[in-house]
Amino acid sequence: VYADQCASCHGANLEGQPDWRRRGPDGRLPAPPHDESGHTWHHGDQLLFDYTKYGGAAVMQAMGLDGATSGMPGFADTLTDAEIRDVLAFIRAQWSPRIQAIQADRTRAEAAAR
């Protein structure tokens, strides 16, 4: 699923797009890497799930970040919830145990805050 739905933007090896920290002419950031050099692991599981299912703009608006831009489309009409969870599990499995532990802590904190 990752290869078919995500790799075209985020890279076959989770490397992201070139200059992913630099906004393009449209004001959007390129797709970030999902490896340890990116920031995916900085977020809890629910946020990552919502971002994938509903898209970046919808999630940022729900967080009160009106006017924030994101090129991340929502996959609610393309992927099942189970497929989204599988993609996120695949991404997490590529991280070192230390990064996995940090991300798990963030997931617990995110859940406690809800």
Side-chain angles (χ1 to χ4, degrees):
V1 175
Y2 179 89
D4 291 340
Q5 300 295 326
C6 312
S8 63
C9 292
H10 292 282
N13 297 309
L14 290 80
E15 71 274 13
Q17 294 177 331
D19 295 322
W20 66 273
R21 290 185 175 125
R22 220 170 276 180
R23 293 191 184 280
D26 62 0
R28 293 182 178 159
L29 292 168
H34 288 314
D35 62 16
E36 292 182 20
S37 70
H39 58 81
T40 305
W41 60 272
H42 294 199
H43 306 291
D45 288 349
Q46 189 62 53
L47 178 64
L48 296 174
F49 178 87
D50 291 347
Y51 211 86
T52 305
K53 182 169 183 168
Y54 303 112
V59 170
M60 286 192 280
Q61 183 178 10
M63 294 171 66
L65 301 172
D66 295 329
T69 59
S70 173
M72 175 70 177
F75 286 86
D77 295 333
T78 306
L79 300 176
T80 65
D81 288 1
E83 288 172 322
I84 293 170
R85 287 187 185 92
D86 287 347
V87 165
L88 295 173
F90 167 76
I91 291 168
R92 278 192 305 273
Q94 311 313 304
W95 301 334
S96 69
R98 181 176 88 66
I99 295 298
Q100 289 181 26
I102 292 168
Q103 195 271 337
D105 286 343
R106 293 184 180 182
T107 296
R108 284 188 287 278
E110 176 185 82
R114 287 186 180 243

